[in-house]
Amino acid sequence: MSSDDVEISTRLRPGEWTEESLATLVQEYQHKIAEMGATPAEIKTHIEHTEAGGVKVRVEWERVSEE
């Protein structure tokens, strides 16, 4: 991730999420990044399920360098 990239992230504890609510949250984060100007190819989504039953969500805008 470069200093120009944008990231939205959160951690959800066990019992704070379902597969449906997780999908909705990810879509909301992706939509927010897109509203900032990111193209679909620049939006990277990372979901990590923890051993304890929680989940870490990170949606990034990896800006394409025009150099």
Side-chain angles (χ1 to χ4, degrees), residues 7-26:
E7 174 184 300
I8 303 173
S9 62
T10 193
R11 293 179 183 206
L12 302 170
R13 296 180 183 167
E16 292 182 339
W17 64 279
T18 64
E19 289 298 330
E20 185 176 296
S21 68
L22 178 61
T24 300
L25 178 69
V26 168

Side-chain angles (χ1 to χ4, degrees), residues 1-64:
M1 215 170 116
S2 78
S3 62
D4 291 333
D5 292 342
V6 175
E7 174 184 300
I8 303 173
S9 62
T10 193
R11 293 179 183 206
L12 302 170
R13 296 180 183 167
E16 292 182 339
W17 64 279
T18 64
E19 289 298 330
E20 185 176 296
S21 68
L22 178 61
T24 300
L25 178 69
V26 168
Q27 288 176 346
E28 289 173 2
Y29 285 3
Q30 291 169 337
H31 181 73
K32 287 180 183 181
I33 296 281
E35 284 183 327
M36 293 178 198
T39 65
E42 294 175 314
I43 299 173
K44 306 298 180 201
T45 302
H46 308 275
I47 299 171
E48 178 185 339
H49 294 267
T50 67
E51 290 182 18
V55 68
K56 298 176 186 177
V57 178
R58 186 174 81 242
V59 178
E60 298 174 357
W61 175 4
E62 293 183 359
R63 297 176 195 235
V64 176

